Amino acid sequence: MTEEIILQVQDLKTYFHTDEGIVKAVDGVTFDLHKGETLGIVGESGSGKSVTNLSIINMIPNPPGKIAGGQVMYAGKDLVKLTINELRSIRGNKISMIFQDPMTSLNPYLRISTQMIETIVLHQKLDKKTAKAKAIDMLKLAGIPAPEKRIDQYPHQFSGGMRQRVMIAMGLSCNPEILIADEPTSALDVTIQAQILDLIKDLTARLGTAVILITHSLGVVAGMCDTICVMYAGRIVERGPTTEIFDKPKHPYTQGLIKSVPRLDKTSGDRLYSIRGQPPNVIDLPDCCPFYPRCDKAMDVCKRKYPLSKDVGNGHAVSCWLYTEAK
Amino acid sequence: MAEKDTLLEVKDLKMHFPIGGKGLFGGKQQYIYAVDGVNFTIKKGETLGLVGESGCGKSTTARAVAQLYRPTGGSVNLAGKELTRLNAKDLIAARKNMQMVFQDPYASLNPRMTSGDIIAEPMKIYARKGLVAMTHKEIDERVEQLMERVGLSRFFRNRYPHEFSGGQRQRIGIARALALRPELMLCDEPVSALDVSIQAQILNLFKDLQDEFGLTYLFIAHDLAVIQYISTRVAVMYLGIIAEISGSADLYKKPLHPYTQALLSAAPIPDPAIEKERKRIILTGDVPSPDKQRPGCYFYDRCWKRMDKCKAERPQLKEAEPGHEVACFLYHD
């Protein structure tokens, strides 16, 4: 990880217009991604993790969704403002993505070779033969046994873990600068999850790829990431280096989240800590701290205004009135 | 030889599903050996955790215990009653003592019934059959009582499932399971679909209900930390058999079976300092398909401690240490 920033997301807002009102799925997200860094985005369902990342490469279905504001700066360009053709030269090439469910993200009608070669020919201007050789190399790197044979098979002939390996090979085949992995292991078993996480870690370190890892599992981010962003109701409530977040969590939500996970290495006490209540509905959310109804430390000001992000040192920032002077 | 505080005794339970069928040209009928000889007992008030990867037969075991599938072989003894031999009528009476909570709170509640009706349904059915003596008024009162007990306001009783969140729906499912005051609850991944903060609430609810009503759980999950938290004893399943079974604390401190060791080492721990230091046992390959019975150990293909003997002979579940049984030749003499 170096100091060079390759992706800068600033005050990104993605809203969905629905019959019930405006869903502010992402509401002012800001973060930087450094070269070679692995950044984790954690949060519960509906917190806006996936929408944030779909917004980065402008893949929000429009309508109903719309990027309502903010910037995504990559290589001097604002990705939000690019035309579709300009975007296409970046997607899959400079910034590629792997998804949770490897079955639905591969085309079941096409051989793996067809799908992989398409990407490589399109972005790297290679002829088909060289592209196939490159695809086989990538599959081998991703740990697929007998890749020369397997490349001509169809997705259904691969197991879940193997399919995810194919997705990773495909995602990295054009040497992207950034790999966005959206819950890459959530559909997999623990032993396969360990294999896949190992592979992502190893390959991206070797190729110098920066990774944005989206997950709901605190265990996964703890082992994989340099930096963590914790999302709640469309906003990043806390952000900082992994060790800082786990050792000195500042936001009451992060603290609660860490305490409420049962842990293998600790013999269980009597009760788990649990955050009371439910995650909020993000339709027409008032401009207050969305966590205050569930927060043990809620104050009056929390109901009135959303706290700005405050730097607490060591690259650790938190959005909570406990750490910000109320005016 | 069931001891008197044993509530459930499962012996050599087998569940084989026919696949393909014989077809026009005959040929041999093939089977999926989903559960292939499982033995365990659960004592009153205890929680047995059943853990394993997808397809290892956890859910099938629970369903075969509940007789939702009629097992291919073996016996299931609940509180002195042999369930596999009961006819449909007696089975319904016996099931009163054994209720299920399912994984998906979206699929397991009828979307066209209100939460109150869902919780009342088991009581209404059993009252109609004359198996419980409850009047309409009593059922009504019990519904409200149950809703309050699982943490739902009784004013929600006229709402439909889609009006509830995932965690609240799971509470409805739990209230429904509690309605007939069963001794045994079969919980099939009841927290897997829930978010972390909600998962903690529901796990606590399970523990509180157990303390309050002396419930016995067969608790299925694939998350090892959840299983450790909730269970008194844990059984690790692999490919239709139990690889290891022991007291919860014991299993996590000193796993014996190579598969359990790999499983535990693969589970991520939410602590970056520990994660950095940990050595993982990375298993190669995938779980094989349970479509054939193997002569040797089922874990042979992926085991990193395999011996010649393991290929030819199948290790049986044997006690390696007091209260700690394992099906592995490393611990058999």
Side-chain angles (χ1 to χ4, degrees):
Chain A
M1 181 175 142
T2 58
E3 291 306 303
E4 192 190 333
I5 294 173
I6 53 171
L7 183 80
Q8 217 170 4
V9 178
Q10 269 192 350
D11 202 28
L12 185 68
K13 290 180 178 166
T14 307
Y15 296 166
F16 290 85
H17 296 267
T18 65
D19 293 343
E20 282 114 82
I22 297 173
V23 177
K24 296 182 177 176
V26 174
D27 199 16
V29 161
T30 302
F31 66 85
D32 296 337
L33 181 70
H34 299 84
K35 199 172 166 46
E37 178 182 15
T38 302
L39 175 99
I41 300 188
V42 272
E44 300 182 272
S45 345
S47 60
K49 315 182 288 286
S50 295
V51 176
T52 301
N53 287 283
L54 288 173
S55 306
I56 289 174
I57 47 174
N58 213 335
M59 291 219 304
I60 298 296
N62 181 9
K66 198 164 188 262
I67 296 180
Q71 287 186 323
V72 179
M73 296 305 291
Y74 170 75
K77 280 177 248 172
D78 183 0
L79 298 188
V80 174
K81 296 207 177 73
L82 291 190
T83 63
I84 188 77
N85 280 328
E86 288 171 310
L87 269 172
R88 275 194 188 137
S89 68
I90 290 175
R91 289 179 189 158
N93 187 24
K94 299 290 179 202
I95 304 179
S96 67
M97 200 154 179
I98 52 179
F99 297 91
Q100 171 169 2
D101 185 347
M103 191 65 223
T104 49
S105 39
L106 288 167
N107 187 332
Y109 288 119
L110 299 179
R111 294 175 199 276
I112 299 297
S113 54
T114 323
Q115 308 189 42
M116 284 192 79
I117 291 167
E118 185 190 12
T119 325
I120 301 173
V121 168
L122 186 72
H123 290 305
Q124 304 207 323
K125 314 278 180 277
L126 295 173
D127 62 277
K128 274 197 172 169
K129 216 173 145 198
T130 339
K132 186 164 182 179
K134 166 105 188 166
I136 292 175
D137 281 349
M138 285 313 296
L139 288 177
K140 194 181 270 166
L141 270 182
I144 304 264
E148 306 80 12
K149 259 187 235 152
R150 301 289 305 234
I151 194 166
D152 286 320
Q153 292 183 333
Y154 289 91
H156 75 265
Q157 289 168 296
F158 290 75
S159 67
M162 282 293 167
R163 270 182 227 141
Q164 203 55 292
R165 285 175 191 269
V166 171
M167 286 304 297
I168 292 168
M170 204 184 282
L172 294 175
S173 62
C174 294
N175 298 332
E177 270 194 287
I178 302 169
L179 177 74
I180 300 176
D182 190 349
E183 303 262 12
T185 57
S186 308
L188 306 173
D189 279 316
V190 225
T191 58
I192 310 295
Q193 165 171 293
Q195 290 175 7
I196 297 293
L197 291 178
D198 229 42
L199 177 72
I200 295 179
K201 214 176 183 175
D202 182 56
L203 277 186
T204 53
R206 233 191 295 173
L207 304 171
T209 317
V211 182
I212 301 179
L213 181 75
I214 306 170
T215 175
H216 63 271
S217 160
L218 286 170
V220 169
V221 282
M224 291 283 292
C225 300
D226 306 310
T227 321
I228 297 179
C229 299
V230 181
M231 281 194 78
Y232 189 79
R235 315 212 199 204
I236 292 178
V237 294
E238 186 162 11
R239 156 170 66 100
T242 305
T243 40
E244 277 274 323
I245 297 280
F246 277 95
D247 295 347
K248 290 173 235 153
K250 297 279 186 211
H251 199 284
Y253 176 63
T254 316
Q255 293 168 352
L257 212 55
I258 291 173
K259 273 192 283 181
S260 58
V261 186
R263 285 180 58 158
L264 263 188
D265 56 329
K266 299 226 170 104
T267 28
S268 52
D270 277 345
R271 281 178 74 84
L272 276 175
Y273 176 81
S274 68
I275 304 173
R276 63 169 186 262
Q278 320 278 337
N281 190 342
V282 286
I283 295 178
D284 297 326
L285 212 57
D287 189 37
C288 62
C289 174
F291 188 61
Y292 93 85
R294 306 177 74 189
C295 185
D296 290 335
K297 295 174 184 155
M299 301 174 290
D300 260 356
V301 60
C302 306
K303 292 175 208 167
R304 279 184 274 124
K305 247 177 118 189
Y306 188 80
L308 291 176
S309 176
K310 157 112 178 163
D311 202 321
V312 291
N314 294 334
H316 190 161
V318 58
S319 294
C320 178
W321 286 115
L322 288 174
Y323 308 97
T324 316
E325 287 288 315
K327 293 208 181 78
Chain B
M1 49 163 231
E3 291 166 47
K4 68 170 188 302
D5 57 348
T6 300
L7 181 66
L8 179 74
E9 188 175 29
V10 172
K11 264 197 200 151
D12 201 29
L13 185 70
K14 285 187 180 143
M15 190 63 235
H16 301 164
F17 296 103
I19 46 166
K22 280 190 175 163
L24 193 56
F25 302 106
K28 212 169 151 246
Q29 175 69 55
Q30 294 190 320
Y31 291 96
I32 289 283
Y33 299 92
V35 175
D36 202 18
V38 157
N39 294 289
F40 61 84
T41 56
I42 310 181
K43 290 200 185 91
K44 263 190 194 126
E46 184 181 69
T47 304
L48 178 73
L50 210 51
V51 67
E53 298 179 277
S54 345
C56 71
K58 311 182 292 285
S59 297
T60 309
T61 303
R63 282 163 186 247
V65 166
Q67 305 295 308
L68 289 175
Y69 303 138
R70 283 303 190 135
T72 315
S75 76
V76 177
N77 194 307
L78 176 70
K81 263 199 204 105
E82 177 53 50
L83 300 184
T84 51
R85 284 198 287 273
L86 294 183
N87 61 27
K89 198 171 150 243
D90 294 338
L91 186 58
I92 288 171
R95 275 200 189 124
K96 185 171 156 293
N97 205 8
M98 166 177 70
Q99 295 285 311
M100 269 186 104
V101 180
F102 298 93
Q103 170 171 9
D104 186 346
Y106 294 82
S108 57
L109 303 178
N110 187 338
R112 303 171 76 156
M113 287 168 75
T114 62
S115 59
D117 287 340
I118 289 171
I119 298 167
E121 195 182 25
M123 293 180 281
K124 282 187 182 154
I125 291 174
Y126 276 79
R128 201 189 308 138
K129 289 183 190 292
L131 292 164
V132 290
M134 282 178 107
T135 61
H136 278 294
K137 196 161 165 273
E138 282 169 342
I139 291 177
D140 264 7
E141 279 166 11
R142 174 110 177 112
V143 167
E144 290 187 355
Q145 219 180 52
L146 283 165
M147 289 187 81
E148 299 279 352
R149 184 58 204 90
V150 298
L152 293 168
S153 160
R154 64 196 157 91
F155 300 113
F156 289 174
R157 58 173 306 169
N158 290 322
R159 292 198 186 179
Y160 289 89
H162 74 267
E163 295 173 87
F164 293 95
S165 68
Q168 288 173 321
R169 285 180 212 213
Q170 206 52 293
R171 290 177 195 270
I172 298 174
I174 293 168
R176 172 176 63 183
L178 285 172
L180 292 168
R181 306 175 201 271
E183 284 184 277
L184 177 67
M185 292 239 283
L186 306 168
C187 313
D188 189 358
E189 305 250 19
V191 295
S192 311
L194 306 177
D195 274 318
V196 179
S197 70
I198 308 298
Q199 173 178 294
Q201 294 174 358
I202 300 292
L203 284 174
N204 283 335
L205 176 63
F206 272 113
K207 275 214 158 167
D208 293 345
L209 292 172
Q210 181 164 45
D211 292 343
E212 197 174 326
F213 303 114
L215 290 168
T216 307
Y217 295 135
L218 175 66
F219 200 98
I220 298 177
H222 61 268
D223 185 326
L224 293 148
V226 165
I227 284 287
Q228 139 150 318
Y229 173 73
I230 198 93
S231 309
T232 354
R233 284 191 310 134
V234 178
V236 181
M237 282 192 79
Y238 187 77
L239 221 57
I241 57 158
I242 289 180
E244 184 165 3
I245 183 166
S246 104
S248 172
D250 216 22
L251 185 82
Y252 285 87
K253 245 182 260 146
K254 204 181 159 200
L256 296 178
H257 200 286
Y259 177 62
T260 317
Q261 292 171 359
L263 209 55
L264 285 174
S265 87
I269 290 178
D271 187 328
I274 294 176
E275 281 291 307
K276 218 167 267 168
E277 300 293 310
R278 281 174 93 199
K279 273 251 171 288
R280 286 223 149 85
I281 304 164
I282 301 264
L283 289 180
T284 51
D286 294 308
V287 183
S289 165
D291 58 358
K292 54 177 182 276
Q293 281 175 311
R294 294 162 173 75
C297 175
Y298 281 20
F299 189 55
Y300 180 80
D301 298 326
R302 299 173 82 197
C303 187
W304 76 101
K305 285 182 175 171
R306 61 187 172 199
M307 305 174 286
D308 287 342
K309 191 181 179 186
C310 309
K311 193 169 189 176
E313 208 182 318
R314 185 166 150 191
Q316 296 301 315
L317 202 58
K318 270 189 197 158
E319 194 161 74
E321 281 163 26
H324 195 147
E325 293 172 56
V326 59
C328 178
F329 285 126
L330 287 172
Y331 308 97
H332 298 171
D333 301 316

